Amino acid sequence: MTTPTRRTATRIREAARRVRTIATWTLTVCSALFWVLLITIGIVGMITDGTDEKPTTQASTSPTPQPSDTGTPIQWQPAGQTCADGWPSHSIGKRGACSHHGGVVTVYESTPGNLTTRCHRYGHPKTLERARQLAGSTRNVPCDFPDSP
């Protein structure tokens, strides 16, 4: 016959084991859901171009173009990577590259216009005229984040 203390200790150990098992499974499921969500966000980000335009039907009227929509369309293509502050690093692609220079950023070049920018794709100017206006007398175009209505 076991003493009440031994039975209590055994029950406590079994309860602790069940709690650890439940906690492990909960952590595993939450981690899997986190990665699925992260991958989904990445895929959706690659599919969309960052615009919030809704498709129009033939029966609806076409929207009036905004001043920023008129002009020569411009395409931005990745042209390489550099440190955020412009420092040229031979360590890009390795862990810790540009850690003291603001991190690694992608440099984009425009077609047409031969301009460059370090903006994320959502900050790229949409027209050549707007890009030249932002660049001023340089080739480097700052990010263009127009005020939202």
Side-chain angles (χ1 to χ4, degrees):
M1 184 168 129
T2 59
T3 63
T5 308
R6 282 189 179 174
R7 261 188 271 147
T8 304
T10 302
R11 287 182 182 164
I12 291 172
R13 279 194 300 274
E14 288 175 2
R17 182 181 54 79
R18 284 193 297 267
V19 167
R20 280 193 305 269
T21 302
I22 291 170
T24 300
W25 278 103
T26 302
L27 183 62
T28 303
V29 169
C30 288
S31 178
L33 289 174
F34 168 78
W35 285 107
V36 167
L37 179 65
L38 192 64
I39 290 168
T40 303
I41 290 171
I43 290 171
V44 168
M46 287 189 294
I47 292 172
T48 63
D49 64 353
T51 61
D52 293 332
E53 295 177 16
K54 295 179 176 49
T56 57
T57 61
Q58 291 179 351
S60 68
T61 60
S62 62
T64 307
Q66 299 297 324
S68 62
D69 293 342
T70 59
T72 308
I74 192 170
Q75 296 292 320
W76 295 96
Q77 299 297 325
Q81 293 182 317
T82 184
C83 295
D85 64 356
W87 182 265
S89 174
H90 300 288
S91 300
I92 292 177
K94 298 178 184 173
R95 184 181 174 133
C98 301
S99 60
H100 297 285
H101 298 277
V104 177
V105 294
T106 302
V107 177
Y108 295 88
E109 286 187 354
S110 69
T111 305
N114 197 25
L115 301 169
T116 63
T117 187
R118 291 187 177 104
C119 298
H120 190 267
R121 66 182 178 168
Y122 302 116
H124 294 163
K126 306 285 187 244
T127 64
L128 181 59
E129 291 77 11
R130 176 68 177 158
R132 286 186 175 148
Q133 176 187 9
L134 291 171
S137 61
T138 68
R139 272 188 72 216
N140 299 320
V141 181
C143 300
D144 186 20
F145 296 110
D147 297 329
S148 58

